[in-house]
Amino acid sequence: MHLFLTFLLFPQAFVLLIVLGQEQKTENEEEKVKIEVVHVPSDCDQKSKRGDLVNAHYDGYLAHNMTKFYCSRSEMHGHPKWFVLGVGQVIKGLDIALMDMCRGEKRKVTIPPSLAYGELGYDKIPPNATLFFEIELYAISQGPRSVEAFQKMDLDNDKHLSKEEINHYLTEEFKRDGKEDPTKQSMILTDIFHKNDRDGDGFISAREYNVYRHDEL
């Protein structure tokens, strides 16, 4: 896993705008994520699933007039966006949409307002807007919220992650990626605890960390 990628898991600025699509029923039968598969690679040995760390480029448009409101290739130095699938880091329509994709697959996705930003809208997105995305999935890897990742970080096996344990994990990941950056690493560590240490005891318990509530932890 590349930790430069892990850095992009947490900032709120990115997570609301990531993309993808696949039909799934909602309470209203008319409100669906609609998808057109543009390209599927011949070699597809792995498909995306909930909890995976996924990497994608995407362009986002307002569906009614195709005004572009976001382009990952022109934002943040053109790096594809990384996020954990299915845990609420993106709008619901995108979590639904990204499931079951291959590396290298391209899709065109239409997301209704109820699965996007609804009646409130967001930034350049007006209220009750249907969104359209063009997406290309680059990579799929084990997500940081898996049981395996927790156990790897929990060096003393006490089912609690200390700041020292997580910082050690971040250090190793930055080294592996060849992008050591103490400032970013410190920011990530602070953000992880801000978002996950719900009881404020200075540790992230298995319950606080593990969004899947696996019995293994």
Side-chain angles (χ1 to χ4, degrees):
M1 181 194 306
H2 298 287
L3 196 90
F4 171 66
L5 321 178
T6 305
F7 167 59
L8 296 180
L9 294 179
F10 300 97
Q12 295 178 348
F14 310 125
V15 297
L16 293 176
L17 293 175
I18 320 270
V19 334
L20 305 129
Q22 177 181 24
E23 288 194 359
Q24 176 166 317
K25 293 183 179 179
T26 65
E27 292 182 4
N28 183 340
E29 282 293 314
E30 298 304 316
E31 296 291 276
K32 298 179 180 179
V33 175
K34 298 179 181 179
I35 177 172
E36 175 189 350
V37 177
V38 177
H39 171 73
V40 178
S42 57
D43 182 12
C44 183
D45 58 353
Q46 181 183 10
K47 291 190 175 184
S48 58
K49 64 183 183 305
R50 186 176 187 270
D52 283 340
L53 179 62
V54 294
N55 179 239
H57 260 316
Y58 58 91
D59 294 336
Y61 304 82
L62 302 179
H64 76 283
N65 62 5
M66 294 305 289
T67 297
K68 183 181 289 188
F69 62 83
Y70 191 78
C71 174
S72 63
R73 290 176 175 84
S74 61
E75 299 286 339
M76 295 306 297
H77 309 294
H79 294 299
K81 300 300 175 275
W82 288 87
F83 62 100
V84 180
L85 179 62
V87 301
Q89 289 190 331
V90 296
I91 56 176
K92 186 174 182 180
L94 300 181
D95 265 339
I96 292 171
L98 184 57
M99 299 291 180
D100 205 35
M101 282 189 76
C102 304
R103 291 187 185 90
E105 184 171 337
K106 297 179 182 179
R107 293 180 173 184
K108 294 181 178 179
V109 176
T110 303
I111 298 177
S114 63
L115 299 176
Y117 297 98
E119 296 179 357
L120 298 179
Y122 177 79
D123 194 22
K124 298 177 183 179
I125 301 170
N128 299 310
T130 296
L131 306 182
F132 176 82
F133 291 96
E134 294 178 335
I135 304 149
E136 182 175 1
L137 181 62
Y138 282 88
I140 306 166
S141 63
Q142 183 183 84
R145 297 224 176 219
S146 65
V147 173
E148 294 79 10
F150 185 95
Q151 291 172 338
K152 182 177 180 180
M153 286 186 281
D154 186 18
L155 299 177
D156 58 8
N157 296 313
D158 67 349
K159 293 185 170 51
H160 286 77
L161 301 180
S162 67
K163 288 185 178 180
E164 291 75 16
E165 286 174 324
I166 293 181
N167 195 50
H168 174 76
Y169 174 79
L170 294 177
T171 298
E172 293 303 310
E173 290 296 310
F174 268 104
K175 286 180 180 178
R176 220 181 332 269
D177 193 55
K179 298 181 180 294
E180 295 180 67
D181 187 328
T183 300
K184 285 184 179 179
Q185 184 172 325
S186 176
M187 183 172 67
I188 294 168
L189 183 65
T190 299
D191 199 57
I192 289 172
F193 272 83
H194 175 71
K195 289 182 170 66
N196 294 278
D197 183 17
R198 298 183 183 90
D199 61 9
D201 66 351
F203 295 88
I204 297 174
S205 68
R207 182 179 294 276
E208 287 171 325
Y209 172 93
N210 184 25
V211 295
Y212 313 118
R213 294 182 174 82
H214 285 312
D215 293 335
E216 296 99 307
L217 294 177

